[in-house]
Amino acid sequence: MKIKLLLFSCFLMAASSMVLAQEGPPKDWHLKDASSGYPGINLENTYSQLLKGRQSQTVIVAVIDSGVDAEHEDLNGVMWVNQDEKAGNGIDDDKNGYIDDIHGWNFIGGKNGNIHHDALEISRLAAHYAKKFDGKDVNSLSKKEKKQYDKYQAIKKKIEEKKAEVMQQSMSVTMINQSIETLKGFMGDEEITMQKLKDIDTDKQEVQQAATMISAVLNQAGISFKELASEIGQATEYFDSQVKYYYNPDYDPRDIVGDNYADSNQRIYGNNDVKGPDANHGTHVAGIIAAMRGNDTGMDGIANNVKIMSVRCVPDGDERDKDVANAIRYAVDNGASVINMSFGKSYVWDKKVVDKAVRYAMKKDVLLVHAAGNDGKDNDTTNNFPNDRFLKAGWFKPKMAKNWIEVGAVNWKGGGQMAAGFSNYGKKNVDVFAPGTAIYSTVVDDQYDSYPGTSMASPMVAGVAALLRSYFPTLTAVQVKEIIESSSDKS
């Protein structure tokens, strides 16, 4: 799911629960060293000292995400180009099964368009079990079926709880939005500032109440009226999506893709639209890794000799295991040596097919970098998929993927609050933490924005991994992981 929207869960549940904002960090804080006062990755010293005089070779990094804006001014020069494919001729020139895959592939699109929204996996599971159990006599179920039925009941209860929670959050957003509209109607085209809110002189009670509420919100959130209006507009769409799509077992847009969804081993489907209908998240991730350095435009990415391959399989909702597996395989087969995966979910449909793809990447010496999640939970005791723990292992098969790095998020303020409050954690199942709050990077249509999330921390690590593989090409994926872990600050 899109991580930008975790902002709303941080301060839009109710005006009274908002966190007092502090002055933000510089836009490039995540690249700085500890002497700057920010817990960055020490990138400039790396280039000026450790890598000085060394030659690099081009490394392909696959961004498995919501899509990437390949025409962005800060990314168009670093996009991977499939040299064996001729653009726009409608022919599979390289015979890899994917027609006109110039910058990558889209596994959640079809002949007639792209999936934008999808349900969460918990809702898809509810729909699956509903077909199996609704209207059936519970007493007639086998022991195995009874176990599944109990899971179904637990899932239905969870969905109803989440819907109630969303409705409560939506009410808070609606109240703020109504106050914003009231003030706009009262003040017309006049720019609304904190001072003007204080100076409002009217007998209209609804305007007085609106001014009081919005003043409190602006003061606590540390943003302008214009910024608040924008955030609230996005929040309204977000909560609307949760009800319409996320927690709606009846919503299923898969017909758009046109594949045989029941066949997890099906490989060839989708289209070549690597941007899709909402590529802000994936474009932001790509910029962190490899936005063109030193071009005096926007911002600098981490790695200076990288090509970004866009593999789209993440909708506004939960990604599907079949698509994730195929995205990993596509990236591996087309030369990626690092794959960034800034997505995750709490329920799984077909872990086996994803495990097979992860094993394939491990066999091909490809490093997988994955975001730990933004629920503030312990990944040692709660589910977060996909992950590096194989469902089936044996004496001849490893239990864990050694080519996998799980990444949590670091707060820009550092000190005693090093880990971001929203970040998942885990002594066993989270390998390293990286900058993940107030990260400034590319978004669609030549724009830039700051996002929080482990989705931003993961490409920090992917960028560093790409840098290592570029300047030290003999390093294996496992060695790169070991270097990143061993060189991290343990304090």
Side-chain angles (χ1 to χ4, degrees), residues 375-434:
D375 300 311
K377 295 180 179 179
D378 185 349
N379 280 1
D380 291 350
T381 59
T382 57
N383 289 326
N384 183 47
F385 300 103
N387 55 50
D388 61 352
R389 300 177 298 283
F390 294 130
L391 189 63
K392 291 186 178 181
W395 67 270
F396 59 99
K397 289 183 179 180
K399 295 180 180 179
M400 309 280 285
K402 296 180 180 180
N403 61 326
W404 184 292
I405 304 180
E406 191 80 3
V407 186
V410 166
N411 194 318
W412 65 265
K413 288 178 284 189
Q417 298 178 331
M418 186 68 79
F422 58 76
S423 178
N424 288 3
Y425 54 91
K427 290 184 178 180
K428 294 180 180 179
N429 294 326
V430 177
D431 301 301
V432 70
F433 282 71

Side-chain angles (χ1 to χ4, degrees), residues 7-20 165-176 213 216-218 220-221 228 232 235 239:
L7 285 171
F8 305 134
S9 64
C10 291
F11 75 91
L12 291 178
M13 287 183 64
S16 61
S17 66
M18 292 188 179
V19 178
L20 182 63
E165 180 183 318
V166 167
M167 292 304 294
Q168 184 178 4
Q169 293 172 331
S170 181
M171 286 175 61
S172 298
V173 170
T174 299
M175 288 176 60
I176 297 174
M213 171 178 279
V217 172
L218 296 181
Q220 291 177 313
L228 177 64
I232 290 296
F239 291 121

Side-chain angles (χ1 to χ4, degrees), residues 246-285:
Y246 293 5
Y247 296 105
N248 181 3
D250 295 325
Y251 183 74
D252 185 2
R254 195 66 186 189
D255 285 347
I256 293 173
V257 177
D259 65 323
N260 177 11
Y261 185 61
D263 182 5
S264 290
N265 294 314
Q266 183 183 9
R267 299 284 304 281
I268 308 302
Y269 61 91
N271 65 36
N272 70 338
D273 182 2
V274 298
K275 182 180 179 181
D278 183 5
N280 274 325
H281 188 271
T283 303
H284 199 271
V285 166

Side-chain angles (χ1 to χ4, degrees), residues 30-34 40-47 50:
H30 55 283
L31 306 180
K32 296 181 178 295
D33 63 13
I41 63 174
N42 196 20
L43 185 66
E44 300 309 322
N45 285 341
T46 299
Y47 275 114
L50 299 178

Side-chain angles (χ1 to χ4, degrees), residues 212-223:
T212 300
M213 171 178 279
I214 298 304
S215 293
V217 172
L218 296 181
N219 182 59
Q220 291 177 313
I223 58 178

Side-chain angles (χ1 to χ4, degrees), residues 273-341:
D273 182 2
V274 298
K275 182 180 179 181
D278 183 5
N280 274 325
H281 188 271
T283 303
H284 199 271
V285 166
I288 293 169
I289 297 168
M292 288 186 284
R293 293 181 56 79
N295 63 346
D296 296 323
T297 299
M299 41 77 66
D300 285 345
I302 293 170
N304 63 352
N305 197 356
V306 161
K307 295 298 181 183
I308 294 292
M309 176 192 297
S310 175
V311 192
R312 183 171 183 266
C313 80
V314 183
D316 177 26
D318 274 350
E319 62 283 350
R320 298 184 184 229
D321 298 323
K322 175 181 178 178
D323 301 332
V324 172
N326 280 322
I328 292 172
R329 286 182 175 274
Y330 177 91
V332 172
D333 287 341
N334 287 280
S337 60
V338 178
I339 298 175
N340 186 82
M341 302 185 292

